Amino acid sequence: MTAREQLQKTWELIRSERQADLEYYRQKVLLRSLHQRIEEGTTWYPVRLRSDYIGTGERLTIEVERTARLEAPHTFTSGKSVNVFCNASGKPEKQHVSGVINYIRDSVMVITLNSEELPDWMDDGQLGVDVMFDEMTYREMELALQKVIKAEDNRVADLREILLGSTMSAATHAQPLTGHQLPMASSVLNNSQLEALEKVVRASDVAFIHGPPGTGKTTTLTEAIRLTAKEEGQVLVCAPSNAAVDVLVEKLDEAGLNVLRIGHPARVTERSLSKTMDARIAQHVHYPELKSLRKRMEQLKGMAGKYKKRFGHHEREQRRLLYEEARLLKADADLLEFHIITELLNQTQAICCTLVGASHPTLRGRKYQTVFIDEAAQALEPACWIAMLRAQRVILAGDHQQLPPTIKSHEAAKQGLATTLFEKGIAKHPSMASMLRVQYRMHEKIMAFSSRQFYDGQLKAHESVAAWRLRPYHAPVEFIDTAGIGYAEKQDPETLSRYNEEEAQALIRHVEALVEELSMESWLEEKITMGIITPYRAQVDRLVALAEASPGLEPLHKLITINTVDAFQGQERDVIAISFVRSNEKSEVGFLADIRRTNVAMTRARKKLIMMGDSATLAAHPFYADLVDFVQQEGFYRSAFELPQ
């Protein structure tokens, strides 16, 4: 297929994904009763309004607290769009106002409203919060694809052919080094990181930084951005998620760059808030003047609004004059704000936003020499093009051997939507890709299997971590085989997610024994962190319930995290314990066949990796057969029959 045909197919697939996502939302929210939504975690109801105030960027913010089912699981996360509604009786239809979640803590949710005033019905009680469908993201992705498809005789058309065309279009590393650039970074980076940096500096069109777990991808990328910003004056820095953008914002700020974070303040971490456009406007020398203009404008509108419908010619004229003066003040305020924003943008070295955020009205008409895209192996291709429409060249960083993008439509994923631009580009331009080869996270034996399976055995553990263990006598890896013991998986009839009650109990008992062996005092004093990971949400629920009921683990609740693999991407812990769940007579591994997820789970561990699963089921898949061989050869294998019951 030509590049245009590929993009046309991608456009059709993203439309299928939109439909699948919308249908999922319809089934889970729109067609569910209030009771069902509460049970399934897509609605908080009832909630009470605890407070309202003007938050960052002069935006109206409310704090609500759920007053029933406080411990029930839910689907709300920071940055999600929501609908705050009133269900009070006597209302002809549900009153509502949209907003964005700032953060959630236990039973409290803080929401920035898309409204300048608090609606009157907020005092009526019977308030609730619904999850909303994200229409804007799909609209921007489809629009970007159409622009790339139609591009003719311009830089966008060049990049399209370089990345997707059937020929090896354009020289991709013609730019000579300018002498002073790389030595400045040499004291910070190792040799493989310097090789990656050199490719970035020399790339005329595109370069790829392939960063396996713990190899310092963010450090390398930060250095590349710093040098590029120094050379070009300003760069655009993007990632698919707000969390990934905020990590870069912090790193770039620490590296001494002037950073501006584009995006809704509610979707930004507390540490990055001061870098947002809203916060920067509020810090500007002309902000008091802007605030004064807006305050006077609101006063005039308020005065004009006090005139009733029946009044004479004089009152009508007074109202017209007040509205006219308010309109002129608004024009002055808008012009002043435009000048403040332009000045802030022009002074910035790194403009940071999500890929979809690159379409923000603030950035309209602006172009950049270079766009950096982090976590590109987790980004949908259409989202990458949103940012790339603004740039002359693109640097993509990520690891296509870790988690792929999240896609609701299995059919769209199967037909190619799950294949990222990072994967396509690395396959087409291997000479422009650099893999980082020294990892700084984990013991060399924890790393060994992953390195062999996913990275051609090229990874090397840095000497500072190569022999890291919880205790000198502890094996860095343990595989506990439940084959033959009778731990059978089950399926949750509602969610269809898998769980294995006996395996969950055995894993928690094993974790309790480990804590007891090291002693609670040592664990707390050394602040040893642990992640308990499983691919299945239903198993997470069981592990959480067992851990919460455990007297031996209760004092460590701040040091132990239990969640799915996806939630652990980009994180690390001293100890990782994995529950594989699957155990059946048909030897079906299902979801586990996506071995990249297992790669992520295994490589979160720093000092100790514990895995529990049924080898009879797992080994039907070649990857897990190799894993069982590896642990047996290394002496890391144990049967569950050996564990105290």
Side-chain angles (χ1 to χ4, degrees), residues 113-161:
L113 297 182
N114 298 326
S115 170
E116 291 182 5
E117 293 178 5
L118 196 69
D120 295 338
W121 48 261
M122 283 274 185
D123 296 326
D124 296 346
Q126 295 187 42
L127 301 177
V129 185
D130 278 332
V131 168
M132 277 181 75
F133 179 67
D134 186 8
E135 177 72 31
M136 191 269 285
T137 295
Y138 288 105
R139 191 172 62 242
E140 293 297 341
M141 286 195 287
E142 289 171 28
L143 197 62
L145 283 175
Q146 287 303 318
K147 285 180 182 174
V148 181
I149 290 168
K150 290 173 184 171
E152 288 275 6
D153 302 324
N154 60 15
R155 190 57 182 155
V156 174
D158 291 343
L159 288 173
R160 178 188 67 211
E161 297 308 317

Side-chain angles (χ1 to χ4, degrees), residues 217-343:
K217 171 178 64 70
T218 306
T219 302
T220 310
L221 191 62
T222 301
E223 198 66 8
I225 292 167
R226 187 180 71 81
L227 292 179
T228 307
K230 187 178 173 75
E231 192 75 9
E232 297 173 4
Q234 189 174 81
V235 294
L236 181 62
V237 179
C238 299
S241 69
N242 283 291
V245 176
D246 287 332
V247 168
L248 282 169
V249 167
E250 287 175 28
K251 295 288 184 186
L252 293 170
D253 183 48
E254 286 167 12
L257 267 74
N258 184 341
V259 184
L260 186 63
R261 174 70 160 95
I262 303 294
H264 198 297
R267 293 191 168 103
V268 174
T269 60
E270 234 167 286
R271 283 185 67 180
S272 296
L273 262 180
S274 63
K275 307 290 181 292
T276 59
M277 178 65 84
D278 290 48
R280 284 286 173 85
I281 290 172
Q283 293 159 11
H284 196 274
V285 66
H286 291 307
Y287 179 68
E289 186 185 343
L290 177 64
K291 196 173 179 182
S292 173
L293 284 169
R294 285 199 175 134
K295 186 178 178 183
R296 178 64 182 147
M297 177 188 78
E298 289 303 324
Q299 285 171 342
L300 290 168
K301 281 166 70 178
M303 287 162 65
K306 285 177 183 172
Y307 286 101
K308 305 299 177 195
K309 284 182 181 177
R310 293 179 181 176
F311 48 74
H313 172 76
H314 177 71
E315 287 84 358
R316 189 178 287 110
E317 183 62 16
Q318 279 295 105
R319 187 178 71 163
R320 188 189 68 77
L321 289 170
L322 286 168
Y323 275 131
E324 177 64 18
E325 192 178 343
R327 189 184 64 77
L328 292 171
L329 283 172
K330 183 182 185 304
D332 287 347
D334 289 348
L335 186 63
L336 180 56
E337 186 178 54
F338 173 78
H339 284 306
I340 292 171
I341 288 171
T342 302
E343 189 178 305

